[in-house]
Amino acid sequence: MPSIRMELPCWCLLLLSSLQSLSANKDFFTSIGQMTDLLYTEKDLVTSLKDYIKAEENKLEQVKRWADKLDLLSATATQDPEGFLGHPVNAFKLMKRLNTEWGDLESLVLSDTTEGFISNLTIQRQHFPTDEDQTGAARALLRLQDTYRLDANTISTGDLPGVKHKSHMTVEDCYELGKIAYSDVDYYHTELWMIQALKQLDQGEESTLDSVTVLDYLSYSIYQQGELERALDYTKKLLALDPEHQRAKGNLKYFEFQLEKQQKAADDKTQKQKERGKRETTEKEEKPKKKVSFQLVPERKKYEMLCRGEGIKMTPRRQSRLFCRYFDNKHNPMYILAPVKQQDEWDRPYIVRYLDIISDQEMERIKQLAKPRLRRATISNPVTGVLETAPYRISKRRATVHDPLTGKLTTAMYRVSKSAWLTGYEDPIIDKINQRIEDLTGLEMDTAEELQIANYGVGGQYEPHFDFGRKDEPDAFKELGTGNRIATWLFYMTDVAAGGATVFPDVGAAVWPQKGTAVFWYNLFPSGEGDYSTRHAACPVLVGNKWVSNKWIHERGQEWRRPCSLNETD
């Protein structure tokens, strides 16, 4: 009969060790009294062994439930990977599972005899997402929550516009988001997500977390926002559940002391006002607030408003000047018989969209070429104002650039995407696309930058920036020797279910992604001066997967194609 190898826990081994020690020093068979002691020792061993077996069975049951859940989830997800990960909650939960939960599973089954699984999992974990990935996905959810004004319950239930794969967040997921916000000293979002976790616990959702842990974070985050009374109320709720919670007991006394202090200060102020014969009035508060002009709104707010589809709306008169047309670029031989569809998107700056301008086959080929080369979009420090221009200016192939303030390589946190560069020499399709842009714009492509392909991640965005080099950065494109960026051509290679618009905060324009189309605008006036109204941004992708490719066209070679006007102010 083959031997069976059993791994017993430490407490079993200690009992066996004790038993062996007793046997070595005592002749138990010579005394019934001593033998009775052995019966109790054996009884303890049997009880311990049963507990061990039960614990192992519970462990296997947990693993089985986990495997069944993941089997069902992965079967659904792999049917439409990009669509599934287009839901930001699904992407966050994937980061969390691979970075945290699979590690917990590894610890759970570490004593299992299936060494092949353990060694395989250990090897695979080298390629799993890191803490940075999990934190980044969490911050993306918080960014989406703010930009699109979503409440925590909407995100937790997965009830987002255009979703294909609805995903529910557990109490642990909500708690994890709250903890990440807490570590970022973001008490506002800590409160929102701890309240959501508490709400789901109160609704009876099963969880390894308890209300005391959540309330501990919640009460403190509310206190940090200056709401002493609410912080005190939640602290009392915590102590009702755990009267011996030391930190809560200390906080209770401190909050009560601070409230008394505030009340005394308020009373003293009221008394002084009475003595001076003054009364507080609410007349100013009662007056209706004037509507704030969009032009006076801070840029960040404008940006978020436009991302939500709010902001400036064109007057009917301006709208009437926008047209759709068949376009052949002044009888270009390539498009006389088959002109392209062109429509005006905005008047100042003038933005046009070309419809059905790139085929599905071309878009798939571009993605196929770009995927192995995608690297995190990296740009120099935003304090310098050099946005977007840096990666290409330093090197066409470099993934990182130097921060001019620190001298270190840096990654731009205000751009959440990965990008790659493709040349016309690498595939005939790229050369064909470059020629198409030249034919339609009438601009020289030999001095243009390579085709840049970008894929946006969870909550992927690019905050407001200029494509051209401004007067305060005269050497922006010196190494290229082709002058400033005269124009931008932007292909949309996917539809986006929700979010992801290209917005121009200064003028209130919003251009929404539409697969197979491209938008074009000039960054410079004919005089060569920069058009500051072209400052634009890519809104966070709420639901979906956003692929774009852009061509930055430079001044050199355009002297006879887009000549300066006789009027230098044009």
Side-chain angles (χ1 to χ4, degrees):
M1 178 177 179
S3 61
I4 299 176
R5 178 174 175 247
M6 292 185 62
E7 294 184 5
L8 297 177
C10 294
W11 37 265
C12 275
L13 294 174
L14 286 171
L15 284 170
L16 286 173
S17 178
S18 300
L19 184 58
Q20 290 172 350
S21 178
L22 285 169
S23 299
N25 298 318
K26 302 282 185 178
D27 294 326
F28 287 108
F29 67 91
T30 61
S31 170
I32 295 296
Q34 288 181 338
M35 289 178 69
T36 55
D37 291 340
L38 293 179
L39 286 175
Y40 288 109
T41 302
E42 186 179 46
K43 185 176 184 300
D44 289 340
L45 281 173
V46 171
T47 302
S48 299
L49 184 60
K50 284 186 174 181
D51 289 342
Y52 173 71
I53 293 169
K54 186 176 180 180
E56 288 297 301
E57 288 175 342
N58 288 338
K59 183 201 302 182
L60 289 173
E61 186 60 29
Q62 288 180 54
V63 174
K64 183 178 182 298
R65 287 199 302 269
W66 170 264
D68 290 341
K69 182 180 79 172
L70 265 291
D71 184 40
L72 182 63
L73 180 65
S74 60
T76 303
T78 52
Q79 290 177 5
D80 180 15
E82 289 196 350
F84 182 82
L85 292 176
H87 193 307
V89 170
N90 286 334
F92 165 70
K93 287 168 76 74
L94 176 65
M95 298 294 107
K96 181 170 175 284
R97 279 199 306 275
L98 290 176
N99 182 50
T100 304
E101 296 175 12
W102 276 100
D104 295 340
L105 180 67
E106 180 181 2
S107 300
L108 180 65
V109 299
L110 199 57
S111 61
D112 192 90
T113 55
T114 313
E115 295 178 359
F117 167 72
I118 295 298
S119 61
N120 185 41
L121 179 58
T122 303
I123 292 170
Q124 292 299 326
R125 274 180 59 79
Q126 300 176 61
H127 310 292
F128 282 1
T130 62
D131 289 344
E132 184 182 351
D133 291 307
Q134 183 174 332
T135 302
R139 287 172 179 160
L141 279 177
L142 301 181
R143 185 166 59 248
L144 291 172
Q145 183 176 13
D146 289 344
T147 303
Y148 296 103
R149 290 185 177 174
L150 304 171
D151 60 71
N153 189 63
T154 298
I155 297 175
S156 180
T157 56
D159 193 19
L160 301 177
V163 296
K164 288 184 180 179
H165 308 278
K166 194 171 181 179
S167 183
H168 175 74
M169 292 179 71
T170 63
V171 171
E172 287 82 4
D173 293 333
C174 297
Y175 173 74
E176 183 68 26
L177 269 183
K179 271 185 66 180
I180 289 172
Y182 182 86
S183 66
D184 288 342
V185 198
D186 178 2
Y187 299 115
Y188 169 73
H189 286 108
T190 303
E191 177 190 347
L192 294 180
W193 286 100
M194 290 302 173
I195 284 178
Q196 182 63 29
L198 193 64
K199 176 183 175 183
Q200 291 180 204
L201 280 172
D202 291 343
Q203 290 172 346
E205 183 177 321
E206 291 186 12
S207 173
T208 56
L209 286 168
D210 55 45
S211 298
V212 170
T213 305
V214 178
L215 283 166
D216 195 12
Y217 277 97
L218 179 57
S219 59
Y220 187 74
S221 63
I222 290 173
Y223 158 69
Q224 285 290 349
Q225 295 177 79
E227 298 184 58
L228 273 171
E229 289 188 17
R230 288 184 65 221
L232 182 62
D233 288 342
Y234 279 113
T235 304
K236 288 178 179 177
K237 289 179 182 179
L238 191 162
L239 286 169
L241 296 172
D242 183 3
E244 300 305 316
H245 197 287
Q246 293 301 314
R247 184 165 49 250
K249 287 164 76 175
N251 286 345
L252 181 71
K253 292 179 181 178
Y254 180 71
F255 294 162
E256 287 176 338
F257 168 74
Q258 290 293 331
L259 273 174
E260 287 178 10
K261 192 174 176 182
Q262 280 188 5
Q263 186 61 48
K264 184 178 178 182
D267 291 343
D268 290 346
K269 184 179 179 181
T270 303
Q271 184 62 34
K272 287 179 180 178
Q273 288 174 342
K274 286 180 178 179
E275 290 172 359
R276 293 172 186 172
K278 294 181 179 179
R279 294 288 184 272
E280 289 186 341
T281 177
T282 58
E283 287 180 6
K284 292 183 180 179
E285 295 178 5
E286 291 173 358
K287 289 182 179 179
K289 293 182 179 179
K290 294 181 180 179
K291 189 174 181 181
V292 179
S293 168
F294 183 80
Q295 297 301 331
L296 300 178
V297 175
E299 183 182 63
R300 179 74 195 182
K301 294 295 182 184
K302 290 183 188 177
Y303 161 59
E304 293 181 350
M305 288 171 68
L306 290 168
C307 290
R308 295 192 297 268
E310 303 167 7
I312 289 181
K313 303 296 180 184
M314 273 196 178
T315 62
R317 185 175 181 179
R318 283 179 66 186
Q319 188 75 39
S320 68
R321 296 171 184 164
L322 303 182
F323 296 95
C324 297
R325 65 187 68 82
Y326 282 103
F327 181 75
D328 60 14
N329 195 17
K330 298 179 182 177
H331 311 298
N332 185 301
M334 289 292 297
Y335 297 103
I336 290 176
L337 295 179
V340 299
K341 289 178 281 186
Q342 186 192 70
Q343 68 182 36
D344 298 334
E345 289 284 340
W346 203 258
D347 54 356
R348 294 186 302 274
Y350 185 49
I351 305 169
V352 294
R353 188 196 294 264
Y354 296 89
L355 285 74
D356 302 322
I357 201 62
I358 184 170
S359 69
D360 289 342
Q361 292 80 4
E362 289 171 329
M363 289 185 282
E364 288 307 310
R365 180 58 179 161
I366 288 173
K367 292 179 194 176
Q368 184 183 6
L369 290 169
K371 277 183 180 179
R373 307 182 188 186
L374 289 175
R375 297 291 183 272
R376 177 72 185 271
T378 50
I379 320 172
S380 58
N381 193 295
V383 174
T384 66
V386 184
L387 302 173
E388 184 76 43
T389 61
Y392 192 89
R393 185 176 80 244
I394 302 301
S395 168
K396 294 181 182 180
R397 294 294 176 213
R398 246 168 118 175
T400 55
V401 297
H402 286 89
D403 183 329
L405 299 182
T406 64
K408 297 180 180 179
L409 294 177
T410 183
T411 299
M413 297 308 293
Y414 43 88
R415 186 179 188 185
V416 184
S417 69
K418 286 188 175 181
S419 58
W421 302 84
L422 299 177
T423 71
Y425 302 106
E426 295 171 89
D427 194 283
I429 282 182
I430 307 302
D431 200 38
K432 184 179 176 183
I433 287 171
N434 288 340
Q435 186 61 51
R436 188 177 307 154
I437 298 172
E438 180 170 328
D439 292 337
L440 291 172
T441 62
L443 298 175
E444 177 63 60
M445 290 297 112
D446 287 347
T447 56
E449 298 177 32
E450 295 173 2
L451 191 69
Q452 188 197 51
I453 291 78
N455 181 221
Y456 288 81
V458 186
Q461 65 166 5
Y462 189 2
E463 293 185 1
H465 63 280
F466 298 101
D467 279 350
F468 63 90
R470 287 160 291 158
K471 288 183 178 180
D472 57 353
E473 41 178 351
D475 298 332
F477 302 101
K478 187 176 180 180
E479 290 186 18
L480 293 178
T482 53
N484 210 343
R485 285 175 173 166
I486 193 173
T488 296
W489 177 285
L490 176 64
F491 284 112
Y492 293 111
M493 300 195 295
T494 50
D495 290 315
V496 179
T502 304
V503 299
F504 295 73
D506 288 351
V507 297
V511 180
W512 298 90
Q514 185 179 340
K515 186 178 180 181
T517 70
V519 291
F520 173 78
W521 67 86
Y522 280 102
N523 297 306
L524 306 179
F525 292 113
S527 64
E529 292 292 319
D531 183 352
Y532 283 79
S533 67
T534 61
R535 184 170 172 82
H536 60 286
C539 294
V541 177
L542 178 57
V543 177
N545 184 28
K546 182 181 177 183
W547 281 88
V548 298
S549 59
N550 50 272
K551 193 78 172 174
W552 284 303
I553 306 166
H554 284 250
E555 290 178 292
R556 296 294 177 266
Q558 320 305 340
E559 292 84 356
W560 302 106
R561 296 181 179 233
R562 195 203 190 204
C564 295
S565 168
L566 294 177
N567 184 351
E568 65 178 3
T569 61
D570 284 348

